[in-house]
Amino acid sequence: MTSWTVIEKFAEIWSQWLTIIGEKVEDDRGKILEYWRVEKVDSVIVIAIQNEHFVLPEPMYRHGIGEITLDFVGGRVPEHATPLQTAPNLIIKELGIEPNQIQSVALLHDVGYPINSSFSNQRMYTAVATLESDAKIASKTRSYSVDRQGVQRLLNDIICLQCRAALMEWQYGHAE
């Protein structure tokens, strides 16, 4: 199978958050298609753990679905930064802790997984951060134990597919 050939770019809409591109392409079977895609920077989800509990920021309003949702710490990876460099900054911002209260941060995998490969180039990384046991978390948070029952409660409360995937990947690596 070969990649598709771009015949013409007929639209491009840019913002600081994303670029929407309309193209006329020839697929690997010679068929001419009108194709729309989105270019976005990569993102990182951070599973923060303190004293054997997941720590999540207070639920936030998500305009895309018009609902308040519970999500892990997360955000976009700035240009010229790596997901591993970005994760501590997101923890500090979203949980309100001091940098020295982060004991460790590690990626669950070295490559990002495509979020929607037919439509977007964006990849998601998952990091796990261990917070100091006495870390003072300034913002309102939610907490769930890292045991099987806590993971199940969290899966019942989280509707974000990316967060659910990150949690299940973490759980797979910590199977009892």
Side-chain angles (χ1 to χ4, degrees), residues 5-9 23-27 31-33:
T5 304
V6 176
I7 297 169
E8 169 192 15
K9 183 188 290 187
E23 297 170 323
K24 186 185 292 184
V25 297
E26 182 178 354
D27 72 9
K31 187 174 181 181
I32 305 299
L33 306 168

Side-chain angles (χ1 to χ4, degrees), residues 3-134:
S3 61
W4 295 0
T5 304
V6 176
I7 297 169
E8 169 192 15
K9 183 188 290 187
F10 57 82
E12 184 170 7
I13 302 168
W14 178 89
S15 82
Q16 67 178 356
W17 299 101
L18 58 87
T19 302
I20 301 171
I21 299 168
E23 297 170 323
K24 186 185 292 184
V25 297
E26 182 178 354
D27 72 9
D28 56 337
R29 290 174 256 151
K31 187 174 181 181
I32 305 299
L33 306 168
E34 180 179 300
Y35 202 86
W36 290 86
R37 61 188 178 86
V38 172
E39 291 184 348
K40 294 177 76 174
V41 298
D42 294 339
S43 61
V44 60
I45 289 177
V46 185
I47 299 174
I49 299 174
Q50 181 185 39
N51 300 324
E52 298 297 311
H53 284 78
F54 300 111
V55 181
L56 292 85
E58 187 72 11
M60 295 176 58
Y61 176 75
R62 301 296 182 183
H63 188 66
I65 61 171
E67 294 180 27
I68 295 171
T69 66
L70 178 66
D71 302 290
F72 285 113
V73 168
R76 299 184 309 158
V77 178
E79 190 175 355
H80 307 300
T82 67
L84 194 56
Q85 292 167 331
T86 304
N89 297 329
L90 293 170
I91 296 165
I92 293 163
K93 175 185 170 191
E94 294 190 31
L95 297 181
I97 68 171
E98 296 297 320
N100 63 351
Q101 295 176 317
I102 301 170
Q103 190 177 79
S104 65
V105 180
L107 293 176
L108 284 181
H109 45 83
D110 291 332
V111 293
Y113 294 124
I115 293 175
N116 181 350
S117 62
S118 67
F119 184 67
S120 174
N121 68 329
Q122 186 182 30
R123 292 178 178 268
M124 182 191 85
Y125 293 82
T126 303
V128 176
T130 303
L131 307 180
E132 294 290 344
S133 62
D134 61 347

